[in-house]
Amino acid sequence: MGELETQQLAAMQNEKDIYEEHVLDHYEDPFHRGPLEDATHAHEANNPLCGDVIHIDLRLDSEGKIEQAWFDGEGCVISQASASMLVEAIEGKTVEELREFSADDMLNLFGPKLTPNRQKCCLLSWRVLQGAVHSPLDGEEEDQDGLNFGGPSLKEES
Amino acid sequence: MTSNGEQMPDIATDPRPVDFSGDLAKYREDFPILSRSVSSGEPLIFLDNAASTQRPRAVIDAISHCYEHYYANVHRGIHTLSEESTQRYEQARATVADFVHAASPKEIVFCAGTTAAINTVARSWGDANIGAGDVILLTIAEHHANIVPWHQLAERTGCKVEFIPLGEDHTIADEQVAEALARWQPKLFSFVATSNVLGTEFPVERWVALARQHNATVLVDAAQAAPHEKVDVQAWDADFVVFSGHKICGPGGIGVLYGKEQQLESMPPFLGGGAMIHRVTTSGYEPAGLPEKFEAGTPPIADAIGLEAAINYVSDIGLERIAAHERALCQVADSGLRGIDGVRVIGPTPELKGGIVSFVIDGVHSHDIAHQLDTAGIAVRAGHHCTMPLHKALGLNSTTRASFYLYNTIDEVHQLIESVRELRAKFAPSGRRRRRR
Ligand SMILES: Cc1ncc(COP(=O)(O)O)c(C=O)c1O
């Protein structure tokens, strides 16, 4: 194999390593992991096919700005690290801004390119967040359970 | 007997050594796909055989040969190609009948796979024989394919679905089976011969005999058994035995429903359409005889011929030799993985299982394990493997499964163990705070 080919192959392999340092850092040392005592909004969802669970607590101020965002959960590196990245990125944002934060934005925030099957792991926290802003803890607003999210579906395995 | 009239290799008469490592390189060459590499550039190590095996050249060629030389729709046709196709399709059925030691080819119904076969039994036998309050008995180790059709039957009829729990050692004792049969008096006992997660091989003959004491009809899901051990439906004595072609080197989209002749005879057809009828009038129909009664529509002709080629291929190697080879691999994998700190093997000790080793690593999710192994070229499966009730009973969300077939090598198993060791080191929480804020 020529040197160039070897280099290209190495680059390809690197690109394939979705567990880059930045991702593992978020996994091992997450941002705001745990419950938020005086949360105003919260939501939780899971991916029954792989058992990933994400819970998000938010505190919104009277202007609809996210003062605090915390997550908790269980699951693969991708689901947990992406949740950490997401809550870190959205603090200080308004609900309006959140609405514009698309699934693609979430995948970009995560960084390493994911196969369709793993995108679902990454988008779980994004889906929970979109649900959380519509789930006030005093229970006045409708829970948007049927909220649709644009990720590919992870089918059952044999 | 194989199609060319030879006796299938038998351990008692087969002069070849049981250990076929000397022939392994040759067998591997039969499988063109094994020479490719994965997206990371590493050579493929295919350990996802319980989900679906790969195909040897002989199977690929048999299918191509059919399409290139004699394919036409079967039965009904009066022309040369249809006669030839029909003859080959029926020859394939006869080969399957020999392979599982059925009393007659009439007892072999081709269908889309294990799932389709079980659904056929549930719809046909189930709807005709099951009523409110009747019990369908399963084990907790069943694949969803042997659970959901019974839940659906329960929705239609009001019957109940009950499960035999798993013992501590990932097996199920005969006493537990006997107790469940006595307690529930099930109309049907439907169980998996080899668990697709635990690898546990259940004693089919003994359990069928127990079920007979309570007059239960018996279905055996042999999806994970047929590729690795001799299935003898007459020795087993079950009413129904089902398996899929794609797990035994055959094509996808074809599987086998074996049913005892008098059982199949007494059952109403499930799918209606062409080929399954004797006569149709404006006021009704008269079903065809066996096995056509259960083969409505144009069947998967080339796939049946491909399945025959697969059966001949594994029979020529010898199922006993394949089983011995897998056991050797399983033994090394099982003890190697158990030897890694933080790794738990989910399944019994190697003597009690076929070529399947499932495991979990404390603190590491199975998707991360499978992903990282893929980077090393190793294809394994991660998730619940269509056995959610089993995983719930085990208190697990998911497992990672390595499953072996005749073409896997000891080297590949060593690489699996080494890669698991490495990834455990990579993902195990180090307790450091290392992120810069
Ligand atoms: C034990 C068992 N039963 C049933 C099935 C379903 O087989 P198929 O998907 O070929 O219908 C499988 C495999 O997926 C299996 O392992």
Side-chain angles (χ1 to χ4, degrees):
Chain A
M1 207 186 294
E3 194 168 342
L4 189 63
E5 279 174 75
T6 316
Q7 276 171 6
Q8 279 169 347
L9 194 61
M12 200 174 88
Q13 278 167 337
N14 276 341
E15 219 175 76
K16 285 282 159 196
D17 192 6
I18 58 170
Y19 303 107
E20 48 183 52
E21 282 301 300
H22 153 78
V23 173
L24 287 178
D25 286 353
H26 270 277
Y27 180 64
E28 280 201 34
D29 183 17
F31 179 83
H32 284 190
R33 185 186 188 107
L36 173 61
E37 287 299 323
D38 47 358
T40 60
H41 291 65
H43 193 56
E44 180 172 310
N46 66 347
N47 177 354
L49 293 181
C50 52
D52 294 344
V53 186
I54 293 286
H55 177 98
I56 289 182
D57 284 335
L58 302 174
R59 189 167 71 237
L60 302 189
D61 70 11
S62 51
E63 257 97 69
K65 200 162 103 192
I66 295 167
E67 278 181 2
Q68 291 265 313
W70 288 68
F71 84 100
D72 214 339
E74 228 182 278
C76 68
V77 170
I78 309 306
S79 69
Q80 304 303 303
S82 60
S84 166
M85 294 176 196
L86 179 64
V87 292
E88 185 174 45
I90 56 144
E91 273 196 3
K93 295 234 172 350
T94 63
V95 172
E96 248 340 285
E97 285 171 308
L98 258 196
R99 248 191 259 284
E100 283 172 12
F101 188 80
S102 68
D104 278 345
D105 293 334
M106 180 70 221
L107 295 171
N108 287 335
L109 172 69
F110 180 75
K113 211 166 148 30
L114 296 169
T115 58
N117 276 346
R118 293 317 291 283
Q119 287 179 10
K120 186 147 191 176
C121 308
C122 178
L123 291 173
L124 176 60
S125 54
W126 174 80
R127 176 167 60 122
V128 172
L129 175 68
Q130 301 291 342
V133 295
H134 298 287
S135 307
L137 287 168
D138 58 25
E140 269 170 27
E141 211 173 325
E142 282 272 291
D143 190 350
Q144 300 237 326
D145 230 10
L147 200 75
N148 204 14
F149 82 112
S153 89
L154 187 61
K155 291 261 180 56
E156 262 202 302
E157 355 73 27
S158 315
Chain B
M1 305 274 275
T2 56
S3 59
N4 41 20
E6 288 162 25
Q7 197 66 38
M8 283 191 192
D10 180 297
I11 209 76
T13 54
D14 193 344
R16 296 169 301 175
V18 173
D19 175 1
F20 65 48
S21 30
D23 295 325
L24 196 49
K26 189 170 66 113
Y27 295 153
R28 285 182 66 83
E29 276 176 22
D30 292 338
F31 292 80
I33 207 168
L34 295 181
S35 60
R36 68 160 284 176
S37 47
V38 305
S39 59
S40 67
E42 292 294 325
L44 171 69
I45 296 178
F46 191 75
L47 304 182
D48 190 21
N49 295 290
S52 203
T53 58
Q54 298 297 344
R55 282 111 204 84
R57 176 66 69 198
V59 170
I60 299 166
D61 285 351
I63 296 168
S64 303
H65 185 258
C66 167
Y67 285 131
E68 284 175 18
H69 295 283
Y70 60 86
Y71 178 83
N73 210 335
V74 291
H75 307 314
R76 308 172 297 277
I78 311 292
H79 56 80
T80 306
L81 297 194
S82 182
E83 296 284 7
E84 270 185 52
S85 267
T86 303
Q87 191 264 325
R88 301 299 279 263
Y89 179 68
E90 290 307 323
Q91 174 59 52
R93 192 192 308 278
T95 299
V96 172
D98 285 343
F99 181 63
V100 299
H101 197 216
S104 146
K106 281 197 212 167
E107 299 182 320
I108 302 299
V109 175
F110 283 126
C111 53
T114 304
T115 303
I118 298 176
N119 276 276
T120 300
V121 175
R123 292 275 173 176
S124 168
W125 180 89
D127 282 11
N129 292 282
I130 297 297
D134 286 343
V135 171
I136 307 290
L137 184 63
L138 312 174
T139 80
I140 195 68
E142 300 311 317
H143 187 281
H144 294 167
N146 195 24
I147 301 176
V148 182
W150 309 117
H151 280 325
Q152 291 176 308
L153 180 64
E155 283 169 4
R156 294 196 298 280
T157 64
C159 73
K160 289 188 294 180
V161 183
E162 300 291 348
F163 293 84
I164 306 176
L166 197 64
E168 297 257 306
D169 56 354
H170 298 121
T171 65
I172 297 174
D174 289 1
E175 296 75 59
Q176 259 181 307
V177 174
E179 197 181 291
L181 286 162
R183 172 157 169 219
W184 298 112
Q185 298 294 331
K187 278 273 175 69
L188 175 76
F189 180 27
S190 187
F191 66 91
V192 69
T194 299
S195 158
N196 67 318
V197 176
L198 308 166
T200 313
E201 292 173 338
F202 296 115
V204 176
E205 278 185 53
R206 293 210 303 270
W207 287 9
V208 175
L210 288 172
R212 292 285 174 240
Q213 293 173 16
H214 299 274
N215 297 319
T217 298
V218 183
L219 184 153
V220 178
D221 173 356
Q224 297 294 346
H228 314 280
E229 63 175 285
K230 176 73 190 145
V231 169
D232 184 332
V233 293
Q234 294 187 66
W236 281 7
D237 192 35
D239 297 274
F240 305 105
V241 176
V242 299
F243 65 96
S244 299
H246 67 94
K247 293 187 200 280
I248 181 171
C249 295
I254 186 141
V256 173
L257 163 60
Y258 157 84
K260 279 191 178 171
E261 189 171 341
Q262 87 267 18
Q263 253 326 340
L264 293 176
E265 212 53 91
S266 73
M267 286 157 52
F270 162 40
L271 294 177
M276 53 70 73
I277 46 87
H278 180 55
R279 192 195 328 273
V280 179
T281 66
T282 51
S283 56
Y285 76 98
E286 216 180 286
L290 291 178
E292 283 78 22
K293 182 167 83 174
F294 292 104
E295 292 184 359
T298 298
I301 300 159
D303 306 297
I305 286 152
L307 175 59
E308 173 182 39
I311 285 174
N312 287 338
Y313 181 82
V314 299
S315 299
D316 284 347
I317 293 176
L319 279 175
E320 292 83 355
R321 296 172 82 222
I322 293 173
H325 176 69
E326 289 169 352
R327 251 169 232 287
L329 300 179
C330 181
Q331 182 93 42
V332 174
D334 191 274
S335 63
L337 290 171
R338 281 182 206 266
I340 303 172
D341 226 20
V343 175
R344 268 190 298 147
V345 169
I346 307 301
T349 50
E351 319 82 73
L352 299 172
K353 64 186 174 192
I356 290 176
V357 182
S358 293
F359 60 97
V360 295
I361 306 180
D362 294 334
V364 189
H365 192 278
S366 67
H367 279 179
D368 295 320
I369 299 172
H371 201 113
Q372 195 60 27
L373 289 177
D374 179 59
T375 314
I378 304 172
V380 295
R381 194 146 286 248
H384 53 62
H385 319 294
C386 293
T387 57
M388 285 178 127
L390 174 64
H391 276 76
K392 179 131 199 287
L394 292 167
L396 300 168
N397 273 329
S398 67
T399 50
T400 305
R401 174 182 73 191
S403 53
F404 311 111
Y405 207 36
L406 63 99
Y407 36 70
N408 291 123
T409 68
I410 282 285
D411 266 0
E412 291 179 325
V413 175
H414 285 306
Q415 288 189 51
L416 167 72
I417 296 166
E418 210 30 62
S419 296
V420 169
R421 203 188 302 281
E422 280 167 21
L423 78 87
R424 147 108 175 119
K426 174 166 181 162
F427 288 118
S430 61
R432 282 175 296 155
R433 290 183 70 83
R434 44 186 207 173
R435 204 158 61 81
R436 263 192 281 147
R437 298 233 163 83

PDB file of all heavy atoms in Angstrom, chain B residues 235-255:
ATOM      1  N   ALA B 235     -37.770 -38.516  16.007  1.00  0.00           N
ATOM      2  CA  ALA B 235     -37.256 -38.777  17.352  1.00  0.00           C
ATOM      3  C   ALA B 235     -37.790 -37.717  18.315  1.00  0.00           C
ATOM      4  O   ALA B 235     -38.151 -38.028  19.447  1.00  0.00           O
ATOM      5  CB  ALA B 235     -35.737 -38.777  17.346  1.00  0.00           C
ATOM      6  N   TRP B 236     -37.837 -36.476  17.862  1.00  0.00           N
ATOM      7  CA  TRP B 236     -38.352 -35.396  18.713  1.00  0.00           C
ATOM      8  C   TRP B 236     -39.831 -35.617  19.019  1.00  0.00           C
ATOM      9  O   TRP B 236     -40.302 -35.312  20.092  1.00  0.00           O
ATOM     10  CB  TRP B 236     -38.157 -34.032  18.041  1.00  0.00           C
ATOM     11  CG  TRP B 236     -36.769 -33.481  18.153  1.00  0.00           C
ATOM     12  CD1 TRP B 236     -35.686 -34.125  18.668  1.00  0.00           C
ATOM     13  CD2 TRP B 236     -36.334 -32.179  17.740  1.00  0.00           C
ATOM     14  NE1 TRP B 236     -34.591 -33.290  18.609  1.00  0.00           N
ATOM     15  CE2 TRP B 236     -34.959 -32.103  18.050  1.00  0.00           C
ATOM     16  CE3 TRP B 236     -36.958 -31.089  17.137  1.00  0.00           C
ATOM     17  CZ2 TRP B 236     -34.198 -30.952  17.777  1.00  0.00           C
ATOM     18  CZ3 TRP B 236     -36.213 -29.947  16.873  1.00  0.00           C
ATOM     19  CH2 TRP B 236     -34.842 -29.886  17.181  1.00  0.00           C
ATOM     20  N   ASP B 237     -40.558 -36.056  18.000  1.00  0.00           N
ATOM     21  CA  ASP B 237     -41.984 -36.346  18.145  1.00  0.00           C
ATOM     22  C   ASP B 237     -42.855 -35.108  18.360  1.00  0.00           C
ATOM     23  O   ASP B 237     -43.987 -35.204  18.849  1.00  0.00           O
ATOM     24  CB  ASP B 237     -42.202 -37.367  19.290  1.00  0.00           C
ATOM     25  CG  ASP B 237     -43.618 -37.921  19.290  1.00  0.00           C
ATOM     26  OD1 ASP B 237     -44.175 -38.097  18.180  1.00  0.00           O
ATOM     27  OD2 ASP B 237     -44.175 -38.140  20.377  1.00  0.00           O
ATOM     28  N   ALA B 238     -42.350 -33.930  18.042  1.00  0.00           N
ATOM     29  CA  ALA B 238     -43.168 -32.716  18.176  1.00  0.00           C
ATOM     30  C   ALA B 238     -44.195 -32.670  17.048  1.00  0.00           C
ATOM     31  O   ALA B 238     -44.009 -33.293  16.000  1.00  0.00           O
ATOM     32  CB  ALA B 238     -42.284 -31.481  18.130  1.00  0.00           C
ATOM     33  N   ASP B 239     -45.273 -31.914  17.269  1.00  0.00           N
ATOM     34  CA  ASP B 239     -46.282 -31.765  16.212  1.00  0.00           C
ATOM     35  C   ASP B 239     -45.787 -30.843  15.115  1.00  0.00           C
ATOM     36  O   ASP B 239     -46.062 -31.065  13.937  1.00  0.00           O
ATOM     37  CB  ASP B 239     -47.569 -31.197  16.813  1.00  0.00           C
ATOM     38  CG  ASP B 239     -48.160 -32.143  17.827  1.00  0.00           C
ATOM     39  OD1 ASP B 239     -48.913 -33.038  17.419  1.00  0.00           O
ATOM     40  OD2 ASP B 239     -47.829 -32.017  19.026  1.00  0.00           O
ATOM     41  N   PHE B 240     -45.061 -29.788  15.545  1.00  0.00           N
ATOM     42  CA  PHE B 240     -44.546 -28.807  14.587  1.00  0.00           C
ATOM     43  C   PHE B 240     -43.094 -28.485  14.915  1.00  0.00           C
ATOM     44  O   PHE B 240     -42.731 -28.355  16.081  1.00  0.00           O
ATOM     45  CB  PHE B 240     -45.346 -27.495  14.660  1.00  0.00           C
ATOM     46  CG  PHE B 240     -46.831 -27.666  14.479  1.00  0.00           C
ATOM     47  CD1 PHE B 240     -47.687 -27.584  15.579  1.00  0.00           C
ATOM     48  CD2 PHE B 240     -47.372 -27.911  13.221  1.00  0.00           C
ATOM     49  CE1 PHE B 240     -49.054 -27.736  15.423  1.00  0.00           C
ATOM     50  CE2 PHE B 240     -48.747 -28.070  13.059  1.00  0.00           C
ATOM     51  CZ  PHE B 240     -49.593 -27.985  14.158  1.00  0.00           C
ATOM     52  N   VAL B 241     -42.279 -28.370  13.869  1.00  0.00           N
ATOM     53  CA  VAL B 241     -40.893 -27.936  14.032  1.00  0.00           C
ATOM     54  C   VAL B 241     -40.640 -26.896  12.953  1.00  0.00           C
ATOM     55  O   VAL B 241     -40.999 -27.120  11.782  1.00  0.00           O
ATOM     56  CB  VAL B 241     -39.900 -29.110  13.885  1.00  0.00           C
ATOM     57  CG1 VAL B 241     -38.457 -28.607  13.971  1.00  0.00           C
ATOM     58  CG2 VAL B 241     -40.157 -30.184  14.946  1.00  0.00           C
ATOM     59  N   VAL B 242     -40.064 -25.770  13.340  1.00  0.00           N
ATOM     60  CA  VAL B 242     -39.894 -24.675  12.376  1.00  0.00           C
ATOM     61  C   VAL B 242     -38.449 -24.182  12.372  1.00  0.00           C
ATOM     62  O   VAL B 242     -37.780 -24.192  13.403  1.00  0.00           O
ATOM     63  CB  VAL B 242     -40.843 -23.505  12.700  1.00  0.00           C
ATOM     64  CG1 VAL B 242     -42.288 -23.961  12.612  1.00  0.00           C
ATOM     65  CG2 VAL B 242     -40.572 -22.934  14.089  1.00  0.00           C
ATOM     66  N   PHE B 243     -37.966 -23.763  11.205  1.00  0.00           N
ATOM     67  CA  PHE B 243     -36.645 -23.107  11.134  1.00  0.00           C
ATOM     68  C   PHE B 243     -36.547 -22.262   9.864  1.00  0.00           C
ATOM     69  O   PHE B 243     -37.407 -22.334   8.992  1.00  0.00           O
ATOM     70  CB  PHE B 243     -35.499 -24.115  11.249  1.00  0.00           C
ATOM     71  CG  PHE B 243     -35.396 -25.114  10.123  1.00  0.00           C
ATOM     72  CD1 PHE B 243     -34.528 -24.886   9.054  1.00  0.00           C
ATOM     73  CD2 PHE B 243     -36.145 -26.288  10.134  1.00  0.00           C
ATOM     74  CE1 PHE B 243     -34.414 -25.810   8.017  1.00  0.00           C
ATOM     75  CE2 PHE B 243     -36.040 -27.218   9.100  1.00  0.00           C
ATOM     76  CZ  PHE B 243     -35.172 -26.973   8.045  1.00  0.00           C
ATOM     77  N   SER B 244     -35.487 -21.437   9.823  1.00  0.00           N
ATOM     78  CA  SER B 244     -35.286 -20.500   8.715  1.00  0.00           C
ATOM     79  C   SER B 244     -34.093 -20.907   7.867  1.00  0.00           C
ATOM     80  O   SER B 244     -33.086 -21.383   8.398  1.00  0.00           O
ATOM     81  CB  SER B 244     -35.002 -19.086   9.261  1.00  0.00           C
ATOM     82  OG  SER B 244     -36.074 -18.622  10.023  1.00  0.00           O
ATOM     83  N   GLY B 245     -34.177 -20.659   6.571  1.00  0.00           N
ATOM     84  CA  GLY B 245     -33.069 -20.986   5.677  1.00  0.00           C
ATOM     85  C   GLY B 245     -31.844 -20.099   5.882  1.00  0.00           C
ATOM     86  O   GLY B 245     -30.707 -20.562   5.786  1.00  0.00           O
ATOM     87  N   HIS B 246     -32.080 -18.838   6.210  1.00  0.00           N
ATOM     88  CA  HIS B 246     -30.949 -17.893   6.216  1.00  0.00           C
ATOM     89  C   HIS B 246     -29.994 -18.100   7.384  1.00  0.00           C
ATOM     90  O   HIS B 246     -28.915 -17.522   7.412  1.00  0.00           O
ATOM     91  CB  HIS B 246     -31.458 -16.449   6.203  1.00  0.00           C
ATOM     92  CG  HIS B 246     -32.172 -16.047   7.452  1.00  0.00           C
ATOM     93  ND1 HIS B 246     -31.522 -15.419   8.489  1.00  0.00           N
ATOM     94  CD2 HIS B 246     -33.458 -16.186   7.845  1.00  0.00           C
ATOM     95  CE1 HIS B 246     -32.408 -15.189   9.460  1.00  0.00           C
ATOM     96  NE2 HIS B 246     -33.579 -15.639   9.092  1.00  0.00           N
ATOM     97  N   LYS B 247     -30.391 -18.909   8.367  1.00  0.00           N
ATOM     98  CA  LYS B 247     -29.483 -19.167   9.492  1.00  0.00           C
ATOM     99  C   LYS B 247     -28.664 -20.433   9.265  1.00  0.00           C
ATOM    100  O   LYS B 247     -27.887 -20.843  10.105  1.00  0.00           O
ATOM    101  CB  LYS B 247     -30.280 -19.291  10.798  1.00  0.00           C
ATOM    102  CG  LYS B 247     -30.944 -17.972  11.228  1.00  0.00           C
ATOM    103  CD  LYS B 247     -31.556 -18.098  12.595  1.00  0.00           C
ATOM    104  CE  LYS B 247     -32.610 -17.045  12.868  1.00  0.00           C
ATOM    105  NZ  LYS B 247     -32.047 -15.739  13.247  1.00  0.00           N
ATOM    106  N   ILE B 248     -28.883 -21.068   8.124  1.00  0.00           N
ATOM    107  CA  ILE B 248     -28.186 -22.316   7.825  1.00  0.00           C
ATOM    108  C   ILE B 248     -27.549 -22.218   6.435  1.00  0.00           C
ATOM    109  O   ILE B 248     -27.597 -23.145   5.639  1.00  0.00           O
ATOM    110  CB  ILE B 248     -29.158 -23.516   7.992  1.00  0.00           C
ATOM    111  CG1 ILE B 248     -28.511 -24.848   7.726  1.00  0.00           C
ATOM    112  CG2 ILE B 248     -30.436 -23.358   7.193  1.00  0.00           C
ATOM    113  CD1 ILE B 248     -29.351 -26.051   8.075  1.00  0.00           C
ATOM    114  N   CYS B 249     -27.006 -21.020   6.149  1.00  0.00           N
ATOM    115  CA  CYS B 249     -26.300 -20.769   4.883  1.00  0.00           C
ATOM    116  C   CYS B 249     -27.226 -20.677   3.681  1.00  0.00           C
ATOM    117  O   CYS B 249     -26.758 -20.610   2.544  1.00  0.00           O
ATOM    118  CB  CYS B 249     -25.250 -21.848   4.592  1.00  0.00           C
ATOM    119  SG  CYS B 249     -23.911 -21.897   5.770  1.00  0.00           S
ATOM    120  N   GLY B 250     -28.517 -20.714   3.898  1.00  0.00           N
ATOM    121  CA  GLY B 250     -29.458 -20.651   2.783  1.00  0.00           C
ATOM    122  C   GLY B 250     -29.888 -19.219   2.496  1.00  0.00           C
ATOM    123  O   GLY B 250     -29.456 -18.282   3.168  1.00  0.00           O
ATOM    124  N   PRO B 251     -30.762 -19.063   1.504  1.00  0.00           N
ATOM    125  CA  PRO B 251     -31.231 -17.726   1.151  1.00  0.00           C
ATOM    126  C   PRO B 251     -32.189 -17.167   2.200  1.00  0.00           C
ATOM    127  O   PRO B 251     -32.753 -17.920   2.993  1.00  0.00           O
ATOM    128  CB  PRO B 251     -31.993 -17.951  -0.164  1.00  0.00           C
ATOM    129  CG  PRO B 251     -31.818 -19.376  -0.525  1.00  0.00           C
ATOM    130  CD  PRO B 251     -31.329 -20.111   0.670  1.00  0.00           C
ATOM    131  N   GLY B 252     -32.378 -15.871   2.169  1.00  0.00           N
ATOM    132  CA  GLY B 252     -33.403 -15.244   2.999  1.00  0.00           C
ATOM    133  C   GLY B 252     -34.759 -15.497   2.373  1.00  0.00           C
ATOM    134  O   GLY B 252     -34.867 -15.915   1.212  1.00  0.00           O
ATOM    135  N   GLY B 253     -35.811 -15.282   3.141  1.00  0.00           N
ATOM    136  CA  GLY B 253     -37.158 -15.380   2.569  1.00  0.00           C
ATOM    137  C   GLY B 253     -37.670 -16.786   2.411  1.00  0.00           C
ATOM    138  O   GLY B 253     -38.701 -17.002   1.778  1.00  0.00           O
ATOM    139  N   ILE B 254     -36.954 -17.760   2.961  1.00  0.00           N
ATOM    140  CA  ILE B 254     -37.497 -19.118   2.931  1.00  0.00           C
ATOM    141  C   ILE B 254     -37.245 -19.807   4.274  1.00  0.00           C
ATOM    142  O   ILE B 254     -36.216 -19.620   4.908  1.00  0.00           O
ATOM    143  CB  ILE B 254     -36.917 -19.980   1.791  1.00  0.00           C
ATOM    144  CG1 ILE B 254     -37.646 -21.334   1.756  1.00  0.00           C
ATOM    145  CG2 ILE B 254     -35.404 -20.195   1.945  1.00  0.00           C
ATOM    146  CD1 ILE B 254     -37.916 -21.842   0.386  1.00  0.00           C
ATOM    147  N   GLY B 255     -38.231 -20.566   4.680  1.00  0.00           N
ATOM    148  CA  GLY B 255     -38.110 -21.323   5.915  1.00  0.00           C
ATOM    149  C   GLY B 255     -38.989 -22.539   5.822  1.00  0.00           C
ATOM    150  O   GLY B 255     -39.652 -22.771   4.797  1.00  0.00           O
TER     151      GLY B 255
END
